[in-house]
Amino acid sequence: MYRETIEKTVLTVVLVAWWLFLPAVGYENGDTENIPAHLFYMLSHANIWHLAANLFFLWFFLRGRLYLIPSMLIGFLVSLLPGFSIYGEVGLTMGFSGVLFAIAGIKWGVYCRYASSMGKLFESTALHDFFLKAIPFALIGILIPHINWTIHLYAMLAGFVYGRCRR
């Protein structure tokens, strides 16, 4: 609990300070050569509401271990994958939500790995719950303009695989 509060507080300070004092950094879909943009996009936010939504999710929905290092690595790696939108171009991508979705994916993967140790019924129920309860949150962005829903989906699935398979 104490470590979780420290991690969340440090993240909040860094994200707010970046928004207040540093320029917004993002990457364009398909630009895999601008590595700094793929590293720093997760610290930038398009506006105060974008930042507030990510911090709200961090503080009120994520409990326990955050798996920050693997989640940030996943956030970087999935940013190199192509994005799609039903509204045309994906546009500039920035924000911490890819990392948040990776954290959620890792937590579901860990849960499913634990459930598999309890038998096939528990494992299939946990996997069913993941696809019915978690994945829709990544897919809802399809309907919202100016949201890179693909990075949310990629990050959640990659996080799930990491959480399920890590030893």
Side-chain angles (χ1 to χ4, degrees):
M1 173 84 170
Y2 182 68
R3 177 183 172 160
E4 171 193 352
T5 304
I6 290 173
E7 286 179 335
K8 287 181 178 182
T9 302
V10 169
L11 270 176
T12 301
V13 168
V14 168
L15 293 176
V16 170
W18 190 287
W19 187 79
L20 288 172
F21 303 114
L22 295 168
V25 176
Y27 68 89
E28 292 286 340
N29 189 32
D31 178 13
T32 57
E33 294 180 16
N34 188 359
I35 297 302
H38 287 274
L39 288 171
F40 296 118
Y41 83 94
M42 58 188 84
L43 302 175
S44 297
H45 289 83
N47 54 50
I48 190 67
W49 302 110
H50 184 204
L51 173 62
N54 280 324
L55 291 177
F56 181 80
F57 188 84
L58 173 70
W59 281 94
F60 293 104
F61 289 102
L62 294 178
R63 299 278 183 247
R65 185 169 175 199
L66 295 180
Y67 304 95
L68 277 178
I69 301 299
S71 296
M72 292 178 88
L73 181 60
I74 288 168
F76 166 73
L77 292 174
V78 298
S79 76
L80 300 170
L81 298 174
F84 307 97
S85 173
I86 64 172
Y87 300 101
E89 284 296 315
V90 172
L92 194 65
T93 296
M94 63 177 68
F96 201 67
S97 57
V99 177
L100 296 173
F101 275 89
I103 292 169
I106 291 172
K107 288 177 166 292
W108 273 99
V110 168
Y111 169 67
C112 287
R113 186 180 72 235
Y114 172 75
S116 72
S117 69
M118 299 176 74
K120 285 289 183 194
L121 178 62
F122 289 104
E123 180 180 21
S124 64
T125 302
L127 195 56
H128 179 264
D129 285 350
F130 171 69
F131 283 102
L132 219 54
K133 295 178 180 178
I135 292 295
F137 282 102
L139 295 176
I140 195 74
I142 292 172
L143 304 174
I144 306 169
H146 311 295
I147 292 199
N148 186 349
W149 67 273
T150 53
I151 198 165
H152 296 165
L153 181 62
Y154 295 155
M156 184 171 274
L157 291 174
F160 178 83
V161 169
Y162 174 83
R164 180 71 177 83
C165 297
R166 74 184 266 281
R167 298 284 170 220

